[in-house]
Amino acid sequence: MTKTAITPTRAANYNEWYQKVVRAADMAELSEVRGCMILKAWGYGMWELMQRDMDRRFRETGHENYYFPLFIPLSYFEREASHVDGFAKEMAVVTHHRLVKKGGKLVPDGELEEPLVVRPTSETIIGQAMSKWIQSYRDLPLLLNQWANVVRWEMRPRLLLRTMEFLWQEGHTAHETFKEAMDETLQMLDIYATFCEDTFALPVIKGEKIPSERFPGAVNTYCIEAMMQDGRALQAGTSHYLGHGFAKAFNIQFQSRQGELEYVHTTSWGVSTRLLGALVMTHADDDGMRTPPRIAPWQIVILPILREDTDQQAVLEYCEMLRADLSLVTMDGQTLRVKVDLHDSPAADKRWSWIKKGAPLILEIGAREVEEEKVCYSRRDDLKQGKIFEERAEFLGQAGGILDSIHNRLFEDALAFQQSRMVTDITDWDAFEAYFAKEDVNGFSSGKGFVRAKWCGDEESLIKLDALGVTVRCIPFDQDGREGVCVLTGQKATQDVIFARAY
Amino acid sequence: MTKTAITPTRAANYNEWYQKVVRAADMAELSEVRGCMILKAWGYGMWELMQRDMDRRFRETGHENYYFPLFIPLSYFEREASHVDGFAKEMAVVTHHRLVKKGGKLVPDGELEEPLVVRPTSETIIGQAMSKWIQSYRDLPLLLNQWANVVRWEMRPRLLLRTMEFLWQEGHTAHETFKEAMDETLQMLDIYATFCEDTFALPVIKGEKIPSERFPGAVNTYCIEAMMQDGRALQAGTSHYLGHGFAKAFNIQFQSRQGELEYVHTTSWGVSTRLLGALVMTHADDDGMRTPPRIAPWQIVILPILREDTDQQAVLEYCEMLRADLSLVTMDGQTLRVKVDLHDSPAADKRWSWIKKGAPLILEIGAREVEEEKVCYSRRDDLKQGKIFEERAEFLGQAGGILDSIHNRLFEDALAFQQSRMVTDITDWDAFEAYFAKEDVNGFSSGKGFVRAKWCGDEESLIKLDALGVTVRCIPFDQDGREGVCVLTGQKATQDVIFARAY
């Protein structure tokens, strides 16, 4: 048995392995503030790259960034009944505006007339602003996005995947017509899916949520669902068509081309730091994280091997020259992010720390490489290949291509895994129950995944799923339309849905 | 008298003029949530450019971005007495974690055992994390930065300058020695000053705060002070040497090179969205904002002039070609940000809206320009020059240089203003009192500014300033060291300080 950097392994205890990987990669940790996390440089660096990448896609489709208040007056939530029902149970409420010393202890003081809610999402406060900004059809579409922190009180936090405070982007748009709003809703879902595949190397399934799983206040909710390495689903992004709900609650009206006063159609869509959790659960292995190159804060890390009997100065100069040359190489029009790790610790320790962080390419440069004008490198996607020696000039020419192939390999591995765990031949309840019946402690080796089957659409029937801890993840967009039998009720059904356990 | 876009003018009512400019430039507005603001696309776009620019400077000096929790347990504040004294009066306190319906009304429910404070600054929570992360001198220096929202309860909000919630960056570092920590503190002040001058075209004065004006918990506080067009000072950034205060409060110790357990020396430093207020108060004129090119979300705006009798398609194509060509021009190694404004409204209205936003260069392109292969442009820094006609090819070659000269012009104007309002010949209290005695409603035309004079350092003497609403802004770094007489007490004094009214 090979020694692995992460103990326990995925196969031994998937949940513990996940927590260990996030910590070993130094991406994030739970803080002492219950349910809140600290994003460390490697994890926050990924978030920044994700922001930059998504921002470009948002701008190209006409969206502009705004920033709205953190605090929302309690009364705003009373205006949209289904919205508040969805969030009331998990709201952080500010009730006082100072601390004073009483009996030697600090206590809250200065009670507010109206409590303020720390935003769990911003439809209400942005709706309020839109109602002031929108007068005529000329002001439409209004295409906003916000990068912000949000808070949803969380009793069972899980690093990156479910934390009380998290970072996200929330797009909010207003449109003249149903068609435009629906086009926007689906366009943004497409952008999320493309982003996940092109940048995160994360294959996703696009679909619509069933009514009971919609965002509170939405008419339709669309989602992308990804499969983790234990076969569970993770909702990686959502896009909502909100109809006239918020427009009516906040009186967002406009003078139409025909001179009539009409309500706008609104949408909202978001992805969060949760996606970084999906990244780990999809790509990490028993040696730690494997970071897809487009999201790696450092794509290439150069480790100088400084033995006592070698010309250390020559090695350091060679490393610096390599860094400078590689920093001119481009991938997707952006220059590579290359670091020489000069930290004062043994090279073997540094090598393992970068393996655990998942730097895509790790170069080890000692006297031999300098002498022979070579490069010794390891690909994090395939450590089994061992160290590869290459002529320096050759390597410079190949570096962009190697990173590209690492991305492709990670994507193909994840897609193959998703396909291997997609069950499409279950058509009755007995088989369904047998499939999901036993949940291993260790989800990784359980072999469980997604069941794609017909469902009649009767939400009452979903109660059968509760005991299994399974939910309907989505109605996937690609449907064969053939008539079959509902896996829950045995009734006639034509619609395929995806069933799974989920994070 | 020329008609101006902003009423009242600076001379008529400076404060109202300021609010109007921010709104007319569509940078920000106060929200209905008391004391909170909404940053709109033009203002938030400046903030994003500022982030990008500063981030580069932070990274070049070895800092990495992290993200820490929004909520800080009340008990953390009890550990550093002077720190909590400074902030207790302005803290937003979360006391409940859900809302429930009682008698048809939503009310806070689920009281927390320990209230959480919405961060007013993060020394405490970051100190807590540092104590876990730092073991040995090998872990030092630890150089962190965070971009975040912070909340300080504010009874008299002022758009951008003083709001309850604002965006900022806060750097937090830990060092082995006093010297390293002090070097860091001063290095960051230099970076702020250079940023202000090079990017914001904002001349600043570097100095140290007097003891009573230090950050709560700091051993030394350094600042950059800028002069607004009404002669008031605005503290544009601060950098603090925190000594061992937070290290002792949060037990941040390390094994030294000699094997001893020692406390780290910490620093913190920050700038906020307040700088955008300084930008307006420094550069705007009676026609609205004048945005320095390096911080302008669009540096060049192209307005197609589409008359009914012209070949509209040809004009649009010419505009698009101009945009594409100009987008390849670089300034400081970055390609220009160029927009063709296709909004469906009259060209004259659009021209005024971009003048009010302060787009540095506004191009107006009609049939004549197309025919003659010319460009008609206006420089926002100098509208009096009127419209300038230039050969298209010539203009493409000059565009970067013109933007550069706009930056320089804005900087020189601001510097000349600052110098013209810097009074250095007041040496006694009578003259001092007479100078500051009468504060015009209209600060702009009052001719008031900064008084640079000797001060003995006796803080008791400052009480004389209260009636004038004047404070000591800083002890500027450039000192002549000559002995003179304290302007407040008549005692011997060698130290120059800067006195001013301030925002």
Side-chain angles (χ1 to χ4, degrees), chain A residues 166-184:
Chain A
F166 53 91
L167 304 182
W168 80 343
Q169 66 61 223
E170 47 181 325
H172 295 269
T173 68
H175 305 265
E176 274 185 83
T177 64
F178 164 77
K179 184 181 180 308
E180 277 180 33
M182 188 53 87
D183 286 350
E184 165 80 7

Side-chain angles (χ1 to χ4, degrees), chain B residues 300 302 318-331 336 338 361 363 365 373-377 389-403:
Chain B
I300 302 180
I302 304 173
Y318 189 85
C319 288
E320 174 50 30
M321 185 181 62
L322 262 178
R323 191 201 60 74
D325 288 345
L326 285 167
S327 299
L328 297 174
V329 173
T330 57
M331 182 191 188
L336 297 188
V338 188
L361 280 176
L363 273 53
I365 304 297
E373 291 237 25
K374 285 202 169 170
V375 160
C376 161
Y377 72 92
F389 292 87
E390 183 60 85
E391 302 294 329
R392 191 178 141 271
E394 289 285 313
F395 180 76
L396 288 174
Q398 295 167 0
I402 297 174
L403 289 170

Side-chain angles (χ1 to χ4, degrees), chain B residues 44 58 198 203 290 366 372 384 439:
Chain B
Y44 194 77
F58 296 164
D198 291 356
R290 300 191 303 169
E372 300 178 7
K384 281 193 225 96
E439 185 188 11

